[in-house]
Amino acid sequence: MLVTESIDEIRNTVKLWRREKLSVGFVPTMGALHEGHLSLIRQAKQSADRVVVSIFVNPEQFGPNEDFDRYPRKLEEDLKLCRKARAAAVFRPEVSDMYPGDKYFEIKIRELGRHMCGASRPGFFEGIVLVVNKLLNIIEPDIAVFGQKDIQQYLILKQMVEEFNHGVKLEMGKIVRANDGLALSSRNTYLSNDERLKAPSLYRSLSYIEKQVREGVDTPSLLIEHQKNELEAKGFEIDYLGVFSMDNIEPVEKLENGRSYILAGAVYLGKTRLIDNILIEL
Ligand code: AMP
């Protein structure tokens, strides 16, 4: 497995593969890899001959009061896991490789970034669009796999790829969960023992709402309020919990048959932000 921080080296490696008519898959990550990331690498291996994993904690997607400095960094363990998952290369640039000089352009996102995480983390998706745009230009993969865990990110990037004619096909990977239902996340390591025990309640609330919706509740706002109160009583601080339309990520009051929805939540347990979602096609 090639491990490089050099843009030229990863480009040249991918070019050599292309000359051999090998297809290329790509899985961008911020490292501190867990089984969720590995499932994306395995998925990419199903669709492509060679898989590149990037490990880059992207400063552009962190707000001034967020956890850029303390975000977990575990390169040696990550490389072992990538080898085990049979990645062909790991691209792990330094911040100075990705952002060497002044930036003269600014990205702005419209509809898809207004709600859910876009509402509470200004600049977050702009930072993601910036870095993924650069990574796709560097690697030029045939396919790239992103997790449903970050569904808004996936939908924004899908639009970006289409609107800017990137020649890559995006695939979505399922959410990998711990046995108690908590969606795996690099940030779960921030949780105290007590918080870790409480953390699966977010998924439980989402699952409860999902069940009611599938059984015919078409205006779930009261149900959602009730779940918010339950979570708050357990010590969660709610950022958002609600139903959003899959096509434009707008909040939805009344659900209709034949449409697709994102049932999503973001909460704080102490200082740790947890997100999760369930997709519902009615
Ligand atoms: P991150 O390292 O958190 O930026 O995540 C890198 C990729 O892994 C993103 O596409 C995430 O959506 C995906 N991912 C994160 N957590 C999970 C999970 N529990 N299951 C599946 N994919 C995940």
Side-chain angles (χ1 to χ4, degrees), residues 61-80:
Q61 70 189 70
F62 287 78
N65 298 319
E66 293 184 350
D67 55 345
F68 176 72
D69 288 330
R70 67 181 191 122
Y71 195 85
R73 289 159 170 91
K74 306 180 171 178
L75 186 64
E76 287 313 313
E77 282 170 50
D78 288 349
L79 295 180
K80 271 189 207 143

Side-chain angles (χ1 to χ4, degrees), residues 2 13 15 21 48 56 73 75 89 104-105 121 127 135 149 163 190 206 213 222 237 246 251 256 266 273 275 278:
L2 170 76
T13 304
K15 262 190 205 138
K21 302 266 179 279
F56 180 60
R73 289 159 170 91
L75 186 64
Y104 290 87
F105 297 93
R121 301 184 71 186
L135 290 168
K149 163 96 189 315
E163 214 167 300
Y190 298 156
L206 292 174
V213 165
L222 274 180
E237 191 191 314
M246 185 86 168
E256 293 165 30
R273 192 168 191 277
I275 59 169
I278 293 175

Side-chain angles (χ1 to χ4, degrees), residues 28-31 34 36-37 40 71 146-147 149-150 153 174-176 183-184:
T29 81
M30 297 209 298
H34 50 66
H37 297 111
L40 304 186
Y71 195 85
F146 293 85
K149 163 96 189 315
D150 300 277
Q153 159 176 287
K174 289 209 182 89
I175 302 178
V176 177
L184 298 187

Side-chain angles (χ1 to χ4, degrees), residues 188-246:
N188 290 351
T189 53
Y190 298 156
L191 297 169
S192 68
N193 291 342
D194 183 44
E195 288 168 342
R196 176 63 190 80
L197 289 173
K198 284 184 188 162
S201 298
L202 171 60
Y203 180 56
R204 267 184 234 131
S205 285
L206 292 174
S207 301
Y208 179 75
I209 300 166
E210 178 198 17
K211 184 161 171 283
Q212 302 292 314
V213 165
R214 291 201 189 277
E215 283 174 8
V217 173
D218 61 359
T219 44
S221 53
L222 274 180
L223 198 64
I224 289 169
E225 279 313 307
H226 185 69
Q227 288 305 314
K228 279 187 187 171
N229 294 338
E230 298 244 307
L231 287 169
E232 276 169 354
K234 286 180 188 147
F236 289 82
E237 191 191 314
I238 312 289
D239 179 359
Y240 63 83
L241 186 74
V243 181
F244 302 86
S245 64
M246 185 86 168

